[in-house]
Amino acid sequence: MAAGIGRRYGGLKQVAPVGPAGEIILDYSVFDAQAAGFERVVFVVSEAVEEALRPRMQASLARGCQIEYVLQTLMPLLGAGPIPHGRRKPWGTGHAVLTCRDCISTPFAVINADDFYGRGSFTTLMAYLRRAHDRDGLLDLSMVGFPLENTLTEHGQVSRGVCVVDRDGYLVEVRERARIETGKGGVGFLDEGGRWTPIPPGGLASMNMWGFTPGIFPKLQEAFGEFLELARGDPTETEFLLPDAINQLLVRQQATVKVLSSPEPWYGLTYQADAPRARKRIAALVDAGVYPRRLWD
């Protein structure tokens, strides 16, 4: 998913260089995904991102990987009418996945373009997807979870999917929380009224690394239709988010979500001040021989 407008970053963070030869985070994600056995990449982009991203991809990974681009526009799906006046931002991560419904027919992974997940995360997710199978109307989904404390930045607030997992390793609930930060009382978030709400330590965060079967598409389409009805009161800002859609499936007992732990450190680009840290960590992986100095050579 690469269609975000990067308000907090102040630009197209999807194409921000982090590697020694100018590689972007997506280069490393696709490189790791290929090593794990994934064979095809679908980029969900806006017009601006496609213009910046396509030349890079064609010059590098397109030589050894199937690539397709899907445009996430502001026009709602389902014949829902015109674009609401004043709408500028994309419809959200749930809508981003839904836009791929006509070009994906096998189990697939979903990731953010600006998050580094590490090869072990892709290997773990691929192992689950190889045996994923919907049964009796119950979707067999999966998610790679990361320790919440490890996904924060010292440079400002972030949004994360805060997870509740049962003793068998299945997702009970995931709630998208905005304005998460580390304060004197630990990790917490500011609610809509500006009140500080602590988050218990030791929890997992969803960083939008999901494993889906194609059965997710009709469920997302149904949920997006319901979302548009509810969004009429705030048609310019509200978003159809993956955690909310998955939560709805769990409440309705239409899916199970296996939570997979990853041995990899996560890091991403929320603010421009996060970029030096990402470059430093990737440089360390290059020096350790995990990645070549020029990734696509």
Side-chain angles (χ1 to χ4, degrees), residues 110-271:
V110 174
I111 63 169
N112 291 333
D114 57 331
D115 289 325
F116 181 93
Y117 300 99
R119 187 172 306 169
S121 301
F122 288 95
T123 301
T124 298
L125 188 54
M126 171 57 87
Y128 191 90
L129 285 173
R130 290 189 189 280
R131 62 179 187 272
H133 182 66
D134 300 338
R135 294 176 178 84
D136 302 322
L138 194 65
L139 300 183
D140 185 8
L141 312 181
S142 50
M143 183 204 87
V144 178
F146 296 84
L148 175 62
E149 288 85 353
N150 294 349
T151 70
L152 306 180
T153 173
E154 61 187 22
H155 303 295
Q157 299 170 337
V158 297
S159 297
R160 299 288 182 259
V162 180
C163 301
V164 177
V165 183
D166 68 18
R167 65 180 61 187
D168 296 318
Y170 284 90
L171 189 65
V172 175
E173 179 185 72
V174 54
R175 292 290 184 186
E176 185 81 2
R177 300 297 190 188
R179 299 192 293 175
I180 296 177
E181 61 185 4
T182 302
K184 293 182 179 179
V187 176
F189 65 95
L190 297 176
D191 64 16
E192 294 180 356
R195 295 180 295 270
W196 172 263
T197 302
I199 299 175
L204 290 179
S206 164
M207 300 307 301
N208 276 335
M209 189 174 199
W210 300 94
F212 291 151
T213 61
I216 191 71
F217 292 119
K219 299 298 184 184
L220 285 178
Q221 185 160 327
E222 178 184 355
F224 187 58
E226 296 173 2
F227 161 82
L228 289 176
E229 287 297 321
L230 295 173
R232 294 188 188 279
D234 183 17
T236 62
E237 289 295 323
T238 186
E239 294 181 82
F240 178 55
L241 301 174
L242 267 180
D244 296 337
I246 298 302
N247 233 30
Q248 182 172 297
L249 291 176
L250 294 176
V251 169
R252 295 178 178 179
Q253 298 183 334
Q254 295 176 331
T256 60
V257 181
K258 183 66 174 178
V259 178
L260 311 170
S261 61
S262 172
E264 301 286 346
W266 168 95
Y267 42 96
L269 300 177
T270 302
Y271 302 93

Side-chain angles (χ1 to χ4, degrees), residues 35-51:
F38 291 93
E39 298 177 348
R40 180 168 167 250
V41 181
V42 178
F43 293 111
V44 182
V45 295
S46 64
E47 291 183 357
V49 172
E50 182 180 15
E51 183 179 350

